[in-house]
């Protein structure tokens, strides 16, 4: 099993739609969880950290489910500018606590 | 603040040539790392450093060398370029590796083509 797995998509959604991505991780001892956004041919940028209690930032909500070992990202009222690849990132406690990246989920928001 | 600065942005090499990708950060980050990104593979860790004078191998270190003589700089050296090293390279840094300090800031990337 891969350390971090994501559905590559693409998810094609109309503007204004709600879309959700999941990401599963293999190491039950992981403590740090992030969602990064990557625009085409650009560097990844932090979208949000994911906390145990869940957290929200405007139209974006992140959740952590430790029992099932997945994190989720919900985007409400999708905008054209949300089109990007969303990367799930998890730390690897047994490997020097380094961060492992998923391959990303591509989102395309259409008119 | 400039953040993480990578040079060059683009480079074309011939097989067997060597080169150095430069990375500098001005955020006083202790942790620095190099990733490569290939289609369908995601970001893979090449080498990393937890402080000046300390480096270690990541997931795909073969064919690459690093050094960390200062807190600010973390160059990546390709010893003898191969077509398999054609990729986009990202340098990233953070305050550390513990939870709460491990948010990575990335450079803009260096696109390398090896012919």
């Amino acid at each position: 099993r891969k350390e971090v797995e994501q559905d590559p998509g693409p998810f094609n959604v109309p503007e204004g739609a709600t879309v959700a991505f999941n990401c599963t991780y293999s190491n039950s001892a992981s403590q740090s969880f992030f969602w990064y956004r990557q625009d085409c041919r650009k560097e990844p940028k932090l979208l949000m950290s994911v906390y145990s209690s869940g957290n929200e930032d405007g139209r974006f909500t992140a959740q952590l489910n430790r029992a099932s070992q997945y994190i989720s990202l919900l985007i409400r009222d999708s905008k054209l500018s949300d089109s990007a690849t969303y990367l799930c990132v998890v730390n690897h406690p047994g490997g020097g606590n380094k961060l492992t990246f998923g391959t990303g989920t591509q989102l395309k928001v259409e008119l | 603040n400039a953040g993480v600065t990578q040079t060059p942005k683009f480079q074309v090499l011939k097989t067997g040539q060597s080169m150095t990708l430069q990375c500098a950060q001005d955020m006083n980050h202790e942790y620095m790392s190099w990733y490569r990104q290939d289609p369908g593979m995601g970001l893979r860790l090449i080498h990393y450093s937890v402080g000046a004078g300390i480096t270690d191998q990541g997931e795909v270190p073969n064919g690459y060398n690093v050094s960390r003589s200062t807190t600010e700089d973390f160059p990546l050296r390709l010893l003898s370029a191969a077509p398999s090293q054609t990729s986009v390279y990202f340098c990233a840094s953070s305050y550390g590796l513990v939870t709460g300090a491990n948010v990575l800031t990335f450079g803009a990337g260096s696109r390398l083509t090896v012919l």
Side-chain angles (χ1 to χ4, degrees), chain A residues 2 31-32 34 36 38 40-46 49 87 89 91 95-104, chain B residues 10 31 35 37 40-43 45 48 57-59 90 97-100 102-109 111:
Chain A
K2 286 185 180 178
Q31 297 284 341
S32 301
F34 308 96
Y36 276 72
Q38 186 173 26
C40 188
R41 303 176 77 81
K42 299 280 191 178
E43 74 273 25
K45 293 184 178 178
L46 179 69
S49 301
L87 306 174
V89 186
N91 77 312
N97 218 32
K98 297 184 292 296
L99 297 179
T100 300
F101 285 74
T103 53
Chain B
F10 301 94
Y31 178 80
Y35 289 87
Q37 187 173 36
M41 301 291 290
L43 284 149
L45 183 64
Y48 66 98
Q57 296 181 350
E59 182 185 354
F90 288 103
L97 281 174
V98 297
T99 298
N102 57 355
V103 175
L104 288 173
T105 299
F106 283 83
R111 298 183 182 281

Side-chain angles (χ1 to χ4, degrees), chain A residues 5-70:
Chain A
E5 288 199 75
Q6 296 182 252
D7 181 342
F11 285 62
N12 298 308
V13 302
E15 206 174 13
T18 295
V19 61
F21 312 134
N22 280 348
C23 163
T24 58
Y25 61 95
S26 62
N27 192 324
S28 61
S30 294
Q31 297 284 341
S32 301
F33 308 91
F34 308 96
W35 284 104
Y36 276 72
R37 171 193 169 127
Q38 186 173 26
D39 293 293
C40 188
R41 303 176 77 81
K42 299 280 191 178
E43 74 273 25
K45 293 184 178 178
L46 179 69
L47 178 66
M48 57 199 306
S49 301
V50 186
Y51 303 117
S52 296
S53 55
N55 46 302
E56 187 175 308
D57 183 2
R59 298 181 293 108
F60 299 85
T61 301
Q63 297 279 354
L64 168 63
N65 185 316
R66 285 195 182 276
S68 300
Q69 292 182 212
Y70 74 85

Side-chain angles (χ1 to χ4, degrees), chain B:
Chain B
N1 285 346
V4 179
T5 303
Q6 282 183 240
T7 57
K9 290 192 181 333
F10 301 94
Q11 183 71 50
V12 178
L13 290 177
K14 294 181 180 178
T15 297
Q17 288 184 315
S18 62
M19 76 157 299
T20 299
L21 299 177
Q22 301 291 345
C23 176
Q25 53 87 15
D26 62 358
M27 297 173 285
N28 204 30
H29 283 173
E30 289 295 324
Y31 178 80
M32 296 187 74
S33 56
W34 278 101
Y35 289 87
R36 60 178 289 174
Q37 187 173 36
D38 303 291
M41 301 291 290
L43 284 149
R44 292 182 292 170
L45 183 64
I46 304 171
H47 284 286
Y48 66 98
S49 168
V50 296
I54 305 168
T55 63
D56 207 344
Q57 296 181 350
E59 182 185 354
V60 287
N62 291 342
Y64 307 96
N65 270 356
V66 291
S67 59
R68 184 97 180 267
S69 56
T70 67
T71 300
E72 294 78 19
D73 300 296
F74 191 46
L76 178 72
R77 297 182 188 85
L78 279 71
L79 308 171
S80 177
S84 60
Q85 293 179 303
T86 294
S87 187
V88 180
Y89 292 84
F90 288 103
C91 179
S93 69
S94 68
Y95 285 107
L97 281 174
V98 297
T99 298
N102 57 355
V103 175
L104 288 173
T105 299
F106 283 83
S110 299
R111 298 183 182 281
L112 175 66
T113 301
V114 182
L115 302 175

